Amino acid sequence: MKFYFTLLLSTLLMLSDKVAAQHRILQGTVTDSLNGQPLPGVSVAIPGTSAGVVTDADGKFNLQLPAVAKQVLFTFMGYSEQSVAIQAGTQQLNINLSPVSQALSGVVITGYTQQSKSRTTGAITSVPANVTTQAPVASFDVMLQGRAPGLYVGTPTGQPGEAGRVSIRGLGSINGDVNPLFVVDGVPVANNSFAALNPEDFETIHVLKDAAATAQYGSRAANGVIVITTKKGKAYADGKVRVNYRNQFGISALNSSKWDMMNTNQRLQFEEILQDPTLPGWAYSSKNPNKIVNGVEMPKTDQDYAFGNQYLDSLRTINTDWRKQLLRQGRTQSHSLNISGGNDKTVFYLSGSYFNQEGIALNSGLERYSLRANIQNRSGRFKSTLNLGISTATVKYIQDEGVAEEGGAAVGGGGITEKNPIAALYYALPYESPFGKPGVGNYGANALDAYANSLKKDNQIKSVISFNEVVELTKELQLTGTVGMDFQQNNTTEYLNPDSWYGKLVSNGNQGSYQRGLNTRLGLVGTGGLRYNKQWNHKHEIEANLLAEINKITGGGFGFTGYGLVAELPNTPSGITPGTGDNNFIPNVFGQTTPNRLLISQIALFRYSYDDRYTFTASLRRDGSSQVPAENRYKLFYAFGGNWNVLAEKFMKGQQLFSTLRLRASYGLTGNAGGFTSDYGFRTLYASADYNGNKTLVPITPGNPAYNWEMNRISDAGLEFGFLHNRIRGEIDFYNRVTQGLFVNRNLSLTTGFATLATNSGKVRNRGVELMLEGDAIKQKDFTLTLGVNLAYNKNKILSLGGEEQVFADEATMNMVGKPLGSFYAVRWKGVDPQTGAPVYLDKDGKETNIYNPDDAVPMKATYDPPLIGGATISVRLKRFELSTLVSFIHGMSRLNYPDLYAHSGSAAYRRYSQSKDMLNIWQKPGDISQYPGAQYATYFTSRDITSADYIKLRNITVGYNIPVDGVTKGAIRNLKVFASGQNLFSIMKWKGFDPEDANDIAQYEYPMPRIITGGINVTF
């Protein structure tokens, strides 16, 4: 009996020990190894089990350990992964994680898949999402300049909310789209609508550059892919939600520019030099002995001299700085509130934000409201994710800056008209009073009249929604599905007061105009398939995805322009006078049915990894696009990639030099289907017309039934390295990208009725090298100093134009075999003849001539796409202080500088405009050595007007301080930070004017990039 009792007691004790072991709680804190600050959001998990939590705002965690627990794995993006063995009885565990460059570690999200950086075979750069919020720039893509090697962002305008021209690894098309594909939470989004997206909600930004990374997107990946994920909720150990509030307040002003226009005294002196009797500086000058009466020249009297001196003295009392009259100091504010939390089943992230930025030009600005709700739920085998974002933005534009609402100067902005206030800054004379009446030649007053009596705005609605469902069929096999929507609506209004100077110049009725337009774009995506992932023998892992996808984009638009407005009914269509055939007030009504296209795809993705040593990836995608004729509609795109972790090899054991050493290589094929301006461009298109008093249809485009895809063959080889325990780390990539079937508009005989035909008849190559280097110069507990630089050199070369030797793009650039895309051509400038003051040119044969002949234009060694781009960063952390800076630069970019051309001309065509101070040195008499010809000679565009647009910019500097939270506030406030930021603070450049940074080849009168200074707080409850 005693034996049985002892056995029973022993069994109970064993069971109680087992139960106790199953319910053992492990507690601890995770901190940054450099500064000792707690790290919230760190994943704490038991490998091989579902047990896991994340650290709270204080870096603390409470984890219930299963009986089989032997190790705890700590992972956090931007920090080295750490695995710690736990012993029996361990209840407390404090961990220090070491930060590393995100370029060499962390999780890489490509849209369809995600994996660790160490198992990625593609060229992918991760950009910290917080850089897009360091300065309140409405379109986040502008903040990417200088952040990633090979990524160029040309800013077409300083207009708040305008998107940049983004390119990755050079230009690969002449007439096709050169922008990368943007994907937000698995949904492709339009690349010109970032003004309505709130970057505060972004969590990760990945730039996909080579075929191994982008070929999974097939025909949409010809120019690279930028994948964005928004923030997700977290389950905190204390079960409480986290509330975060962030604001910024600031001002914006004109940037540092080389503005050298004449003041009043200089202008009157210049007019004396010109000796033009139509200008007051000579007409009333005491040096001018004559006056003009009824077109006849006669000598001045004493009264004429006295009046002239008095008049000129009155002019000298006026010295208007038109920058102060036409530009302003804009105010900026932003507020963002988000709430996150959840439990082991459901997590959520909710946010709302308000953004308001006044432009530095009067009447311009942006106001945006946005809401976001991201919810994730796990229930048994099901994992559901809903990402919902909606925003509305009102953008106000200046007049005649170009088609600003469709992309600013990138599509032809910077108009040379008096209504454009930026042009008026160059046109308006310094002795013109800002209180004068508008009229002929009163450029400043006319611009102020346009400000006061016109309106141009765009009310935008933007919504990006995605829903993802993952079903675990088995431990290795998952069923996945994603549906998403990108909706955009633009409601534009343009009004011109009938009582204004410009309102009376409207040809229809001379009583102003009122225009409305409504455009919509709806992008739908549906993706579904199977994902298989299996590991065995602790060395082998395979992942395979079989997916089908459909992308559909539809849209439309309509609008009207009405005339003969009634002044008592301003800014409303009610003021339009009904049109009749007699009063010429017939409204202009327009409409459109594009875009309208469909893309159907099948996708296969495969990855095999062996022993954290080798990784091989392959992708295959079949795309069918409605933008291509049926005979060529379907194409296969593919990529192969490999990754070799050299340090895992036996021959590297024991070495102390490298802490990271990985080689990778890839090759693949991507494509581009959008070579026409219309989704139906391969067909012969018709439009309505009048013929002999009757309505009829006339062909407007010839179509091309043989039209095909542009195809990109991309090869890449890269090395990732780290020294001294990753104190020094970096990447270097070499790539070669050849685009065949290049979209080229070939000239047709005019007897066909058409000027050009879109064909696939060109070939262009982009070849280059990219370097990213980062190092911790100082790495101590309370003080760290990190330096970084990224460089990219790209050599672009046209290999073929389908039999054509050259194709002209516009009056300044051409595409020529053997030269880069967008090369300039011009008549070469030699100088000024000292004896006659005549301009000297070079003809085609290089001989000097005084005769300007446009046929003497020759190609130049200049292009508007910069071959060398880069950025440099400095990050400092001193106890609770933080400092970060970004310097970006480009080299090798040129632009035709029209404002500078007009500001250096004494010819009769341009002398009525304000001129640069340099023009006081204009040639006047034989023997003068001058850069500027005599005023009697006409001014033409020549090679000297193609100006270097290189720059070095202090793009951003941000300073922050983490305020200690203690005492009575500790229980209510978890973290409190104050910060200040500056954007576009300083520039080094040769450019004369406001800013060389732009997205096209011709500088006209674009909205200047502003300098922005802000300060704010970030508080977490």
mmCIF file with all atom_site columns, all heavy atoms in Angstrom, residues 399 419 450 453-455 494-500 502-504 506 511-514 565:
data_model
loop_
_atom_site.group_PDB
_atom_site.id
_atom_site.type_symbol
_atom_site.label_atom_id
_atom_site.label_alt_id
_atom_site.label_comp_id
_atom_site.label_asym_id
_atom_site.label_entity_id
_atom_site.label_seq_id
_atom_site.pdbx_PDB_ins_code
_atom_site.Cartn_x
_atom_site.Cartn_y
_atom_site.Cartn_z
_atom_site.occupancy
_atom_site.B_iso_or_equiv
_atom_site.pdbx_formal_charge
_atom_site.auth_seq_id
_atom_site.auth_comp_id
_atom_site.auth_asym_id
_atom_site.auth_atom_id
_atom_site.pdbx_PDB_model_num
ATOM 1   N N   . GLN A 1 399 ? -1.897  80.879 -61.928 1.00 0.00 ? 399 GLN A N   1
ATOM 2   C CA  . GLN A 1 399 ? -2.333  80.878 -63.323 1.00 0.00 ? 399 GLN A CA  1
ATOM 3   C C   . GLN A 1 399 ? -1.173  80.631 -64.267 1.00 0.00 ? 399 GLN A C   1
ATOM 4   O O   . GLN A 1 399 ? -0.056  81.123 -64.072 1.00 0.00 ? 399 GLN A O   1
ATOM 5   C CB  . GLN A 1 399 ? -2.980  82.228 -63.662 1.00 0.00 ? 399 GLN A CB  1
ATOM 6   C CG  . GLN A 1 399 ? -4.341  82.434 -63.037 1.00 0.00 ? 399 GLN A CG  1
ATOM 7   C CD  . GLN A 1 399 ? -5.396  81.516 -63.619 1.00 0.00 ? 399 GLN A CD  1
ATOM 8   O OE1 . GLN A 1 399 ? -5.390  81.227 -64.800 1.00 0.00 ? 399 GLN A OE1 1
ATOM 9   N NE2 . GLN A 1 399 ? -6.305  81.065 -62.778 1.00 0.00 ? 399 GLN A NE2 1
ATOM 10  N N   . LYS A 1 419 ? 0.250   86.241 -67.227 1.00 0.00 ? 419 LYS A N   1
ATOM 11  C CA  . LYS A 1 419 ? -0.599  85.805 -66.110 1.00 0.00 ? 419 LYS A CA  1
ATOM 12  C C   . LYS A 1 419 ? 0.172   84.944 -65.118 1.00 0.00 ? 419 LYS A C   1
ATOM 13  O O   . LYS A 1 419 ? -0.237  84.810 -63.975 1.00 0.00 ? 419 LYS A O   1
ATOM 14  C CB  . LYS A 1 419 ? -1.816  85.036 -66.630 1.00 0.00 ? 419 LYS A CB  1
ATOM 15  C CG  . LYS A 1 419 ? -2.963  85.913 -67.053 1.00 0.00 ? 419 LYS A CG  1
ATOM 16  C CD  . LYS A 1 419 ? -4.250  85.110 -67.244 1.00 0.00 ? 419 LYS A CD  1
ATOM 17  C CE  . LYS A 1 419 ? -4.153  84.150 -68.406 1.00 0.00 ? 419 LYS A CE  1
ATOM 18  N NZ  . LYS A 1 419 ? -5.458  83.471 -68.650 1.00 0.00 ? 419 LYS A NZ  1
ATOM 19  N N   . ALA A 1 450 ? -4.202  89.234 -61.951 1.00 0.00 ? 450 ALA A N   1
ATOM 20  C CA  . ALA A 1 450 ? -4.542  87.815 -62.115 1.00 0.00 ? 450 ALA A CA  1
ATOM 21  C C   . ALA A 1 450 ? -4.702  87.137 -60.759 1.00 0.00 ? 450 ALA A C   1
ATOM 22  O O   . ALA A 1 450 ? -5.590  86.302 -60.568 1.00 0.00 ? 450 ALA A O   1
ATOM 23  C CB  . ALA A 1 450 ? -3.467  87.114 -62.942 1.00 0.00 ? 450 ALA A CB  1
ATOM 24  N N   . ASN A 1 453 ? -8.153  88.266 -59.284 1.00 0.00 ? 453 ASN A N   1
ATOM 25  C CA  . ASN A 1 453 ? -9.390  88.054 -60.043 1.00 0.00 ? 453 ASN A CA  1
ATOM 26  C C   . ASN A 1 453 ? -9.466  86.693 -60.729 1.00 0.00 ? 453 ASN A C   1
ATOM 27  O O   . ASN A 1 453 ? -10.210 86.533 -61.690 1.00 0.00 ? 453 ASN A O   1
ATOM 28  C CB  . ASN A 1 453 ? -9.538  89.160 -61.095 1.00 0.00 ? 453 ASN A CB  1
ATOM 29  C CG  . ASN A 1 453 ? -9.748  90.522 -60.479 1.00 0.00 ? 453 ASN A CG  1
ATOM 30  O OD1 . ASN A 1 453 ? -10.831 90.845 -59.988 1.00 0.00 ? 453 ASN A OD1 1
ATOM 31  N ND2 . ASN A 1 453 ? -8.695  91.321 -60.480 1.00 0.00 ? 453 ASN A ND2 1
ATOM 32  N N   . SER A 1 454 ? -8.703  85.735 -60.248 1.00 0.00 ? 454 SER A N   1
ATOM 33  C CA  . SER A 1 454 ? -8.761  84.416 -60.862 1.00 0.00 ? 454 SER A CA  1
ATOM 34  C C   . SER A 1 454 ? -8.666  83.337 -59.797 1.00 0.00 ? 454 SER A C   1
ATOM 35  O O   . SER A 1 454 ? -8.207  83.568 -58.678 1.00 0.00 ? 454 SER A O   1
ATOM 36  C CB  . SER A 1 454 ? -7.636  84.246 -61.891 1.00 0.00 ? 454 SER A CB  1
ATOM 37  O OG  . SER A 1 454 ? -6.376  84.274 -61.254 1.00 0.00 ? 454 SER A OG  1
ATOM 38  N N   . LEU A 1 455 ? -9.104  82.154 -60.165 1.00 0.00 ? 455 LEU A N   1
ATOM 39  C CA  . LEU A 1 455 ? -9.064  80.998 -59.275 1.00 0.00 ? 455 LEU A CA  1
ATOM 40  C C   . LEU A 1 455 ? -8.777  79.763 -60.111 1.00 0.00 ? 455 LEU A C   1
ATOM 41  O O   . LEU A 1 455 ? -9.338  79.577 -61.193 1.00 0.00 ? 455 LEU A O   1
ATOM 42  C CB  . LEU A 1 455 ? -10.407 80.826 -58.542 1.00 0.00 ? 455 LEU A CB  1
ATOM 43  C CG  . LEU A 1 455 ? -10.565 79.539 -57.712 1.00 0.00 ? 455 LEU A CG  1
ATOM 44  C CD1 . LEU A 1 455 ? -9.661  79.588 -56.489 1.00 0.00 ? 455 LEU A CD1 1
ATOM 45  C CD2 . LEU A 1 455 ? -12.018 79.352 -57.294 1.00 0.00 ? 455 LEU A CD2 1
ATOM 46  N N   . GLU A 1 494 ? -11.798 76.565 -62.719 1.00 0.00 ? 494 GLU A N   1
ATOM 47  C CA  . GLU A 1 494 ? -10.972 77.701 -63.118 1.00 0.00 ? 494 GLU A CA  1
ATOM 48  C C   . GLU A 1 494 ? -11.903 78.872 -63.433 1.00 0.00 ? 494 GLU A C   1
ATOM 49  O O   . GLU A 1 494 ? -12.844 78.734 -64.229 1.00 0.00 ? 494 GLU A O   1
ATOM 50  C CB  . GLU A 1 494 ? -10.102 77.352 -64.325 1.00 0.00 ? 494 GLU A CB  1
ATOM 51  C CG  . GLU A 1 494 ? -9.068  78.393 -64.627 1.00 0.00 ? 494 GLU A CG  1
ATOM 52  C CD  . GLU A 1 494 ? -7.975  77.887 -65.547 1.00 0.00 ? 494 GLU A CD  1
ATOM 53  O OE1 . GLU A 1 494 ? -7.980  76.690 -65.880 1.00 0.00 ? 494 GLU A OE1 1
ATOM 54  O OE2 . GLU A 1 494 ? -7.116  78.697 -65.941 1.00 0.00 ? 494 GLU A OE2 1
ATOM 55  N N   . TYR A 1 495 ? -11.608 80.009 -62.806 1.00 0.00 ? 495 TYR A N   1
ATOM 56  C CA  . TYR A 1 495 ? -12.499 81.170 -62.930 1.00 0.00 ? 495 TYR A CA  1
ATOM 57  C C   . TYR A 1 495 ? -11.671 82.410 -63.236 1.00 0.00 ? 495 TYR A C   1
ATOM 58  O O   . TYR A 1 495 ? -10.591 82.618 -62.663 1.00 0.00 ? 495 TYR A O   1
ATOM 59  C CB  . TYR A 1 495 ? -13.270 81.365 -61.629 1.00 0.00 ? 495 TYR A CB  1
ATOM 60  C CG  . TYR A 1 495 ? -14.021 82.675 -61.528 1.00 0.00 ? 495 TYR A CG  1
ATOM 61  C CD1 . TYR A 1 495 ? -15.141 82.923 -62.314 1.00 0.00 ? 495 TYR A CD1 1
ATOM 62  C CD2 . TYR A 1 495 ? -13.612 83.670 -60.639 1.00 0.00 ? 495 TYR A CD2 1
ATOM 63  C CE1 . TYR A 1 495 ? -15.832 84.128 -62.222 1.00 0.00 ? 495 TYR A CE1 1
ATOM 64  C CE2 . TYR A 1 495 ? -14.300 84.868 -60.520 1.00 0.00 ? 495 TYR A CE2 1
ATOM 65  C CZ  . TYR A 1 495 ? -15.408 85.093 -61.331 1.00 0.00 ? 495 TYR A CZ  1
ATOM 66  O OH  . TYR A 1 495 ? -16.099 86.286 -61.235 1.00 0.00 ? 495 TYR A OH  1
ATOM 67  N N   . LEU A 1 496 ? -12.188 83.240 -64.169 1.00 0.00 ? 496 LEU A N   1
ATOM 68  C CA  . LEU A 1 496 ? -11.561 84.512 -64.508 1.00 0.00 ? 496 LEU A CA  1
ATOM 69  C C   . LEU A 1 496 ? -12.623 85.600 -64.445 1.00 0.00 ? 496 LEU A C   1
ATOM 70  O O   . LEU A 1 496 ? -13.602 85.587 -65.203 1.00 0.00 ? 496 LEU A O   1
ATOM 71  C CB  . LEU A 1 496 ? -10.945 84.431 -65.909 1.00 0.00 ? 496 LEU A CB  1
ATOM 72  C CG  . LEU A 1 496 ? -10.046 85.591 -66.352 1.00 0.00 ? 496 LEU A CG  1
ATOM 73  C CD1 . LEU A 1 496 ? -8.895  85.793 -65.378 1.00 0.00 ? 496 LEU A CD1 1
ATOM 74  C CD2 . LEU A 1 496 ? -9.491  85.311 -67.749 1.00 0.00 ? 496 LEU A CD2 1
ATOM 75  N N   . ASN A 1 497 ? -12.440 86.538 -63.523 1.00 0.00 ? 497 ASN A N   1
ATOM 76  C CA  . ASN A 1 497 ? -13.415 87.606 -63.264 1.00 0.00 ? 497 ASN A CA  1
ATOM 77  C C   . ASN A 1 497 ? -13.648 88.433 -64.535 1.00 0.00 ? 497 ASN A C   1
ATOM 78  O O   . ASN A 1 497 ? -12.694 88.895 -65.159 1.00 0.00 ? 497 ASN A O   1
ATOM 79  C CB  . ASN A 1 497 ? -12.868 88.506 -62.147 1.00 0.00 ? 497 ASN A CB  1
ATOM 80  C CG  . ASN A 1 497 ? -13.910 89.492 -61.643 1.00 0.00 ? 497 ASN A CG  1
ATOM 81  O OD1 . ASN A 1 497 ? -14.778 89.944 -62.379 1.00 0.00 ? 497 ASN A OD1 1
ATOM 82  N ND2 . ASN A 1 497 ? -13.812 89.831 -60.366 1.00 0.00 ? 497 ASN A ND2 1
ATOM 83  N N   . PRO A 1 498 ? -14.912 88.632 -64.921 1.00 0.00 ? 498 PRO A N   1
ATOM 84  C CA  . PRO A 1 498 ? -15.185 89.387 -66.157 1.00 0.00 ? 498 PRO A CA  1
ATOM 85  C C   . PRO A 1 498 ? -14.751 90.845 -66.085 1.00 0.00 ? 498 PRO A C   1
ATOM 86  O O   . PRO A 1 498 ? -14.531 91.476 -67.117 1.00 0.00 ? 498 PRO A O   1
ATOM 87  C CB  . PRO A 1 498 ? -16.708 89.267 -66.310 1.00 0.00 ? 498 PRO A CB  1
ATOM 88  C CG  . PRO A 1 498 ? -17.215 88.983 -64.938 1.00 0.00 ? 498 PRO A CG  1
ATOM 89  C CD  . PRO A 1 498 ? -16.152 88.157 -64.277 1.00 0.00 ? 498 PRO A CD  1
ATOM 90  N N   . ASP A 1 499 ? -14.643 91.411 -64.861 1.00 0.00 ? 499 ASP A N   1
ATOM 91  C CA  . ASP A 1 499 ? -14.272 92.823 -64.728 1.00 0.00 ? 499 ASP A CA  1
ATOM 92  C C   . ASP A 1 499 ? -12.765 93.038 -64.638 1.00 0.00 ? 499 ASP A C   1
ATOM 93  O O   . ASP A 1 499 ? -12.314 94.178 -64.470 1.00 0.00 ? 499 ASP A O   1
ATOM 94  C CB  . ASP A 1 499 ? -14.927 93.420 -63.468 1.00 0.00 ? 499 ASP A CB  1
ATOM 95  C CG  . ASP A 1 499 ? -16.436 93.535 -63.627 1.00 0.00 ? 499 ASP A CG  1
ATOM 96  O OD1 . ASP A 1 499 ? -16.896 93.598 -64.775 1.00 0.00 ? 499 ASP A OD1 1
ATOM 97  O OD2 . ASP A 1 499 ? -17.132 93.543 -62.599 1.00 0.00 ? 499 ASP A OD2 1
ATOM 98  N N   . SER A 1 500 ? -11.985 91.969 -64.734 1.00 0.00 ? 500 SER A N   1
ATOM 99  C CA  . SER A 1 500 ? -10.537 92.091 -64.596 1.00 0.00 ? 500 SER A CA  1
ATOM 100 C C   . SER A 1 500 ? -9.887  92.408 -65.939 1.00 0.00 ? 500 SER A C   1
ATOM 101 O O   . SER A 1 500 ? -10.517 92.320 -67.003 1.00 0.00 ? 500 SER A O   1
ATOM 102 C CB  . SER A 1 500 ? -9.955  90.788 -64.037 1.00 0.00 ? 500 SER A CB  1
ATOM 103 O OG  . SER A 1 500 ? -10.110 89.733 -64.973 1.00 0.00 ? 500 SER A OG  1
ATOM 104 N N   . TYR A 1 502 ? -7.526  90.693 -67.533 1.00 0.00 ? 502 TYR A N   1
ATOM 105 C CA  . TYR A 1 502 ? -7.486  89.509 -68.380 1.00 0.00 ? 502 TYR A CA  1
ATOM 106 C C   . TYR A 1 502 ? -8.881  89.021 -68.733 1.00 0.00 ? 502 TYR A C   1
ATOM 107 O O   . TYR A 1 502 ? -9.090  88.431 -69.797 1.00 0.00 ? 502 TYR A O   1
ATOM 108 C CB  . TYR A 1 502 ? -6.689  88.391 -67.705 1.00 0.00 ? 502 TYR A CB  1
ATOM 109 C CG  . TYR A 1 502 ? -5.210  88.680 -67.655 1.00 0.00 ? 502 TYR A CG  1
ATOM 110 C CD1 . TYR A 1 502 ? -4.589  88.989 -66.458 1.00 0.00 ? 502 TYR A CD1 1
ATOM 111 C CD2 . TYR A 1 502 ? -4.450  88.662 -68.812 1.00 0.00 ? 502 TYR A CD2 1
ATOM 112 C CE1 . TYR A 1 502 ? -3.232  89.262 -66.412 1.00 0.00 ? 502 TYR A CE1 1
ATOM 113 C CE2 . TYR A 1 502 ? -3.092  88.948 -68.782 1.00 0.00 ? 502 TYR A CE2 1
ATOM 114 C CZ  . TYR A 1 502 ? -2.486  89.248 -67.574 1.00 0.00 ? 502 TYR A CZ  1
ATOM 115 O OH  . TYR A 1 502 ? -1.157  89.533 -67.541 1.00 0.00 ? 502 TYR A OH  1
ATOM 116 N N   . GLY A 1 503 ? -9.855  89.251 -67.850 1.00 0.00 ? 503 GLY A N   1
ATOM 117 C CA  . GLY A 1 503 ? -11.224 88.859 -68.155 1.00 0.00 ? 503 GLY A CA  1
ATOM 118 C C   . GLY A 1 503 ? -11.773 89.568 -69.368 1.00 0.00 ? 503 GLY A C   1
ATOM 119 O O   . GLY A 1 503 ? -12.533 88.992 -70.159 1.00 0.00 ? 503 GLY A O   1
ATOM 120 N N   . LYS A 1 504 ? -11.361 90.818 -69.559 1.00 0.00 ? 504 LYS A N   1
ATOM 121 C CA  . LYS A 1 504 ? -11.842 91.575 -70.707 1.00 0.00 ? 504 LYS A CA  1
ATOM 122 C C   . LYS A 1 504 ? -11.105 91.229 -71.996 1.00 0.00 ? 504 LYS A C   1
ATOM 123 O O   . LYS A 1 504 ? -11.506 91.676 -73.085 1.00 0.00 ? 504 LYS A O   1
ATOM 124 C CB  . LYS A 1 504 ? -11.702 93.075 -70.420 1.00 0.00 ? 504 LYS A CB  1
ATOM 125 C CG  . LYS A 1 504 ? -12.617 93.538 -69.283 1.00 0.00 ? 504 LYS A CG  1
ATOM 126 C CD  . LYS A 1 504 ? -12.401 95.008 -68.944 1.00 0.00 ? 504 LYS A CD  1
ATOM 127 C CE  . LYS A 1 504 ? -13.314 95.428 -67.796 1.00 0.00 ? 504 LYS A CE  1
ATOM 128 N NZ  . LYS A 1 504 ? -13.097 96.849 -67.395 1.00 0.00 ? 504 LYS A NZ  1
ATOM 129 N N   . VAL A 1 506 ? -10.661 88.004 -72.888 1.00 0.00 ? 506 VAL A N   1
ATOM 130 C CA  . VAL A 1 506 ? -11.145 86.707 -73.354 1.00 0.00 ? 506 VAL A CA  1
ATOM 131 C C   . VAL A 1 506 ? -11.861 86.894 -74.688 1.00 0.00 ? 506 VAL A C   1
ATOM 132 O O   . VAL A 1 506 ? -12.754 87.732 -74.818 1.00 0.00 ? 506 VAL A O   1
ATOM 133 C CB  . VAL A 1 506 ? -12.088 86.071 -72.314 1.00 0.00 ? 506 VAL A CB  1
ATOM 134 C CG1 . VAL A 1 506 ? -12.698 84.787 -72.846 1.00 0.00 ? 506 VAL A CG1 1
ATOM 135 C CG2 . VAL A 1 506 ? -11.327 85.793 -71.026 1.00 0.00 ? 506 VAL A CG2 1
ATOM 136 N N   . GLN A 1 511 ? -15.726 88.899 -71.427 1.00 0.00 ? 511 GLN A N   1
ATOM 137 C CA  . GLN A 1 511 ? -16.309 88.985 -70.080 1.00 0.00 ? 511 GLN A CA  1
ATOM 138 C C   . GLN A 1 511 ? -15.932 87.759 -69.254 1.00 0.00 ? 511 GLN A C   1
ATOM 139 O O   . GLN A 1 511 ? -16.770 87.133 -68.629 1.00 0.00 ? 511 GLN A O   1
ATOM 140 C CB  . GLN A 1 511 ? -17.837 89.121 -70.157 1.00 0.00 ? 511 GLN A CB  1
ATOM 141 C CG  . GLN A 1 511 ? -18.329 90.401 -70.799 1.00 0.00 ? 511 GLN A CG  1
ATOM 142 C CD  . GLN A 1 511 ? -19.850 90.465 -70.812 1.00 0.00 ? 511 GLN A CD  1
ATOM 143 O OE1 . GLN A 1 511 ? -20.507 90.061 -69.857 1.00 0.00 ? 511 GLN A OE1 1
ATOM 144 N NE2 . GLN A 1 511 ? -20.402 90.971 -71.897 1.00 0.00 ? 511 GLN A NE2 1
ATOM 145 N N   . GLY A 1 512 ? -14.632 87.433 -69.224 1.00 0.00 ? 512 GLY A N   1
ATOM 146 C CA  . GLY A 1 512 ? -14.157 86.363 -68.361 1.00 0.00 ? 512 GLY A CA  1
ATOM 147 C C   . GLY A 1 512 ? -14.568 84.978 -68.822 1.00 0.00 ? 512 GLY A C   1
ATOM 148 O O   . GLY A 1 512 ? -15.125 84.782 -69.913 1.00 0.00 ? 512 GLY A O   1
ATOM 149 N N   . SER A 1 513 ? -14.294 83.999 -67.966 1.00 0.00 ? 513 SER A N   1
ATOM 150 C CA  . SER A 1 513 ? -14.637 82.613 -68.283 1.00 0.00 ? 513 SER A CA  1
ATOM 151 C C   . SER A 1 513 ? -14.754 81.810 -66.996 1.00 0.00 ? 513 SER A C   1
ATOM 152 O O   . SER A 1 513 ? -14.187 82.173 -65.962 1.00 0.00 ? 513 SER A O   1
ATOM 153 C CB  . SER A 1 513 ? -13.566 81.982 -69.189 1.00 0.00 ? 513 SER A CB  1
ATOM 154 O OG  . SER A 1 513 ? -12.311 81.944 -68.530 1.00 0.00 ? 513 SER A OG  1
ATOM 155 N N   . TYR A 1 514 ? -15.512 80.733 -67.093 1.00 0.00 ? 514 TYR A N   1
ATOM 156 C CA  . TYR A 1 514 ? -15.686 79.821 -65.961 1.00 0.00 ? 514 TYR A CA  1
ATOM 157 C C   . TYR A 1 514 ? -15.588 78.394 -66.495 1.00 0.00 ? 514 TYR A C   1
ATOM 158 O O   . TYR A 1 514 ? -16.296 78.020 -67.436 1.00 0.00 ? 514 TYR A O   1
ATOM 159 C CB  . TYR A 1 514 ? -17.038 80.030 -65.286 1.00 0.00 ? 514 TYR A CB  1
ATOM 160 C CG  . TYR A 1 514 ? -17.262 79.119 -64.086 1.00 0.00 ? 514 TYR A CG  1
ATOM 161 C CD1 . TYR A 1 514 ? -16.805 79.490 -62.829 1.00 0.00 ? 514 TYR A CD1 1
ATOM 162 C CD2 . TYR A 1 514 ? -17.917 77.900 -64.231 1.00 0.00 ? 514 TYR A CD2 1
ATOM 163 C CE1 . TYR A 1 514 ? -16.994 78.663 -61.729 1.00 0.00 ? 514 TYR A CE1 1
ATOM 164 C CE2 . TYR A 1 514 ? -18.116 77.066 -63.143 1.00 0.00 ? 514 TYR A CE2 1
ATOM 165 C CZ  . TYR A 1 514 ? -17.652 77.450 -61.892 1.00 0.00 ? 514 TYR A CZ  1
ATOM 166 O OH  . TYR A 1 514 ? -17.840 76.633 -60.818 1.00 0.00 ? 514 TYR A OH  1
ATOM 167 N N   . LEU A 1 565 ? -19.567 86.162 -68.585 1.00 0.00 ? 565 LEU A N   1
ATOM 168 C CA  . LEU A 1 565 ? -19.990 86.030 -67.195 1.00 0.00 ? 565 LEU A CA  1
ATOM 169 C C   . LEU A 1 565 ? -20.644 87.307 -66.682 1.00 0.00 ? 565 LEU A C   1
ATOM 170 O O   . LEU A 1 565 ? -20.261 88.425 -67.042 1.00 0.00 ? 565 LEU A O   1
ATOM 171 C CB  . LEU A 1 565 ? -18.787 85.678 -66.308 1.00 0.00 ? 565 LEU A CB  1
ATOM 172 C CG  . LEU A 1 565 ? -17.954 84.458 -66.698 1.00 0.00 ? 565 LEU A CG  1
ATOM 173 C CD1 . LEU A 1 565 ? -16.924 84.172 -65.631 1.00 0.00 ? 565 LEU A CD1 1
ATOM 174 C CD2 . LEU A 1 565 ? -18.835 83.243 -66.946 1.00 0.00 ? 565 LEU A CD2 1
#
